[in-house]
Amino acid sequence: MKPGIKIKRWIFLGFIGMVLSVVGFIEIFSQVGESIAFKVLYLFLSLIGLLIMYIALSEFIKSFIALINNEKIKITITDKNIEDLVDEKRVHVGGPKIVVIGGGTGLSTMLRGLKLYTNNITAIVTVGDDGGGSGKLRADLGMLPPGDIRNCILALADTEPIMEDLLQYRFTEGTLKGQSFGNLFLAAMDGISDNFEAAVQKMSSVLAVTGKVLPVTLDDMKLIAELENGNIVEGESIIPDEVIKQKSKIKNLKIEPEKAKPLLDALMAISEADAIVMGPGSLYTSIIPNLLVEDIAECINKSDAIKIYISNVMTQPGETDDFTVSDHIKTLMKYSGKNSVEYVIANNGTIPKDIEERYLSEGSKLVELDYDNIKDLGVKVVETDLVKITKGYVKHDSEYLAQVLMTTVLDKKLLYDKKKIMEYMYVSKKIKNNKEK
């Protein structure tokens, strides 16, 4: 075997454990006249040996699977082989439980890539939006804003392109000008349902959604920002504009009602998750509002899941001006606690000069990856080029981001869960297949 592949050490350690166990048991049964103290000593030696053998075997299995995944050991496992062992749909349903918390276009963009790898997705979405078509429906019908929910449902839906185009269609004239047909569809569902949660589930069923989309609360939530100059700004849609207008950054964020009740399904999903993902998306107006809902942050901190923050590629005027990656994490931790982020997935790529200059003129720039400050926060960095230019705009590459995210979940979480070895190998195969396309 080649050095550095971490298998020989476990074989050697297992051999030592076996020798200790054998010697201990031989001494216990062969020395008839020995005192109780010696027998207890040899029993302890045997148990230590068994413990060492267990640790060695566990680590050997982990190392062996990692070598297969990294293709350092060639084992031919075709898709047909895996299907013969485990029914594909059951593996998906029993696969990684991913909870994604956020809102806006950043969340829905990532969900499109993530659904390629697992059906076990729960998107917990903010309901603080009060602008655009969602804001009008909120004011007119007294319903929760449907826009972010609609986008997440469509991102996870298994539907024809014509249906998505229809639901994303915005009217261009008349009293419905600027309104999305998808918002109206969800508003109609809300009208025939007991509550907004039931309406979301009905729409999800109609569109054959992979996983679940949940509003973080059913309370009529309003976002309130205190600026550094002492002024108070109410309403998600105007906070960034007021920050720019008043030239004063956000000092503190809160919601009304302060004790907004979370959905029980949301808390259950967080507590059972293999991974909890926050972002990408607007830090103050899409991600943090979810953390202000009662019990959400506490539940995240108590969860055994791997906790990942996906940093934005560009700073956002009126929210994260001049923020580095560590600034994003520190702000997130302020509202969710120090145990809420273990890993950050961050961009290390660049953008074309002309696009960079245009963004700078609009008050936005690439988010700096400041390694030392991130390390001081106790957060590990997963860095890669996440940039995708679409029609001159910088976005996350959703499919590649999903690959990076799932690889992180597999290597940092599922690799250490022996009950999910088959899921690990299956999803690894899916990642490799998508990389080869």
Side-chain angles (χ1 to χ4, degrees):
M1 294 183 186
K2 295 179 181 179
I5 63 174
K6 299 181 180 178
I7 281 186
K8 286 188 291 185
R9 69 185 67 176
W10 304 122
I11 294 174
F12 179 68
L13 187 64
F15 177 74
I16 292 175
M18 185 177 67
V19 170
L20 290 176
S21 295
V22 170
V23 170
F25 283 122
I26 288 174
E27 291 298 326
I28 288 171
F29 293 108
S30 63
Q31 303 296 331
V32 179
E34 292 288 351
S35 66
I36 296 295
F38 274 103
K39 287 186 181 291
V40 170
L41 176 63
Y42 289 129
L43 178 61
F44 179 73
L45 187 67
S46 301
L47 293 175
I48 289 293
L50 290 172
L51 178 62
I52 290 173
M53 288 172 64
Y54 173 78
I55 293 171
L57 180 61
S58 298
E59 295 299 326
F60 175 85
I61 291 171
K62 293 174 190 174
S63 298
F64 191 75
I65 293 172
L67 289 173
I68 293 171
N69 189 43
N70 294 327
E71 298 184 336
K72 291 182 179 179
I73 293 178
K74 299 289 184 181
I75 292 181
T76 304
I77 303 178
T78 65
D79 292 333
K80 186 66 173 68
N81 293 147
I82 294 176
E83 286 167 12
D84 288 342
L85 290 170
V86 182
D87 174 72
E88 179 175 343
K89 192 171 182 180
R90 287 190 64 185
V91 169
H92 261 305
V93 171
K97 296 178 182 178
I98 312 295
V99 171
V100 187
I101 300 172
T105 56
L107 178 59
S108 57
T109 296
M110 187 183 65
L111 292 175
R112 291 183 185 276
L114 196 57
K115 72 178 181 180
L116 299 174
Y117 301 102
T118 177
N119 286 342
N120 241 329
I121 304 168
T122 301
I124 299 175
V125 188
T126 180
V127 288
D129 190 8
D130 60 355
S134 289
K136 290 178 182 177
L137 288 175
R138 186 174 188 174
D140 290 345
L141 303 179
M143 67 178 292
L144 292 175
D148 288 348
I149 297 277
R150 179 200 80 232
N151 284 330
C152 290
I153 288 174
L154 290 176
L156 293 174
D158 182 14
T159 187
E160 296 297 323
I162 186 67
M163 179 60 79
E164 180 169 353
D165 291 342
L166 177 64
L167 291 168
Q168 292 286 39
Y169 174 76
R170 286 189 182 276
F171 295 91
T172 55
E173 54 187 89
T175 56
L176 292 177
K177 184 177 180 180
Q179 192 57 264
S180 158
F181 178 73
N183 284 355
L184 297 177
F185 186 89
L186 189 49
M189 280 291 189
D190 187 46
I192 64 170
S193 304
D194 293 335
N195 55 40
F196 189 66
E197 179 188 9
V200 172
Q201 297 314 313
K202 286 178 182 177
M203 185 172 177
S204 298
S205 296
V206 169
L207 297 176
V209 162
T210 298
K212 283 184 181 180
V213 178
L214 300 174
V216 67
T217 180
L218 296 182
D219 290 344
D220 187 19
M221 188 177 89
K222 180 168 66 174
L223 199 59
I224 301 171
E226 178 189 357
L227 306 188
E228 290 181 347
N229 62 10
N231 289 340
I232 303 297
V233 182
E234 297 186 6
E236 177 196 303
S237 61
I238 66 170
I239 288 173
D241 292 338
E242 286 298 314
V243 168
I244 295 170
K245 181 181 175 181
Q246 298 186 34
K247 297 180 181 179
S248 182
K249 292 184 177 182
I250 298 170
K251 178 182 179 181
N252 193 44
L253 202 66
K254 65 179 183 178
I255 58 171
E256 283 188 359
E258 286 188 16
K259 293 188 177 293
K261 298 295 182 185
L263 257 66
L264 292 180
D265 281 354
L267 295 179
M268 187 177 297
I270 291 170
S271 64
E272 295 176 353
D274 292 312
I276 298 169
V277 183
M278 290 181 279
S282 301
L283 184 63
Y284 282 104
T285 55
S286 291
I287 301 173
I288 292 174
N290 294 288
L291 306 175
L292 298 175
V293 173
E294 193 172 40
D295 296 332
I296 292 290
E298 182 182 357
C299 196
I300 291 171
N301 279 272
K302 288 181 178 179
S303 173
D304 292 328
I306 180 175
K307 296 151 194 172
I308 302 169
Y309 171 59
I310 299 175
S311 178
N312 291 337
V313 174
M314 308 295 295
T315 60
Q316 186 172 354
E319 288 203 36
T320 56
D321 300 274
D322 298 320
F323 268 38
T324 63
V325 173
S326 71
D327 290 328
H328 283 80
I329 297 170
K330 276 187 280 190
T331 304
L332 201 59
M333 287 180 170
K334 174 183 174 182
Y335 296 95
S336 61
K338 290 187 177 180
N339 295 324
S340 60
V341 182
E342 296 173 276
Y343 292 88
V344 59
I345 296 177
N347 173 62
N348 63 6
T350 58
I351 58 176
K353 200 70 179 174
D354 59 327
I355 294 177
E356 183 178 12
E357 288 175 356
R358 193 187 83 235
Y359 268 90
L360 282 171
S361 69
E362 296 170 354
S364 180
K365 63 181 181 180
L366 281 168
V367 176
E368 179 190 347
L369 186 50
D370 51 335
Y371 302 93
D372 290 341
N373 292 332
I374 297 170
K375 185 179 179 181
D376 290 342
L377 293 172
V379 176
K380 301 177 184 69
V381 177
V382 178
E383 60 174 302
T384 187
D385 187 348
L386 295 171
V387 172
K388 183 177 182 180
I389 309 293
T390 305
K391 296 181 181 179
Y393 290 95
V394 179
K395 302 185 182 221
H396 283 94
D397 184 332
S398 63
E399 291 191 11
Y400 180 59
L401 176 59
Q403 283 183 17
V404 175
L405 174 60
M406 290 305 297
T407 300
T408 304
V409 173
L410 292 180
D411 291 347
K412 309 301 182 184
K413 176 68 176 178
L414 292 191
L415 178 58
Y416 300 96
D417 189 342
K418 297 182 208 61
K419 295 178 182 177
K420 296 189 176 180
I421 287 175
M422 185 55 71
E423 285 100 329
Y424 178 94
M425 295 180 70
Y426 184 83
V427 179
S428 293
K429 184 73 176 177
K430 295 278 287 185
I431 291 172
K432 289 173 188 172
N433 288 344
N434 284 323
K435 283 180 179 178
E436 292 168 2
K437 288 181 180 179

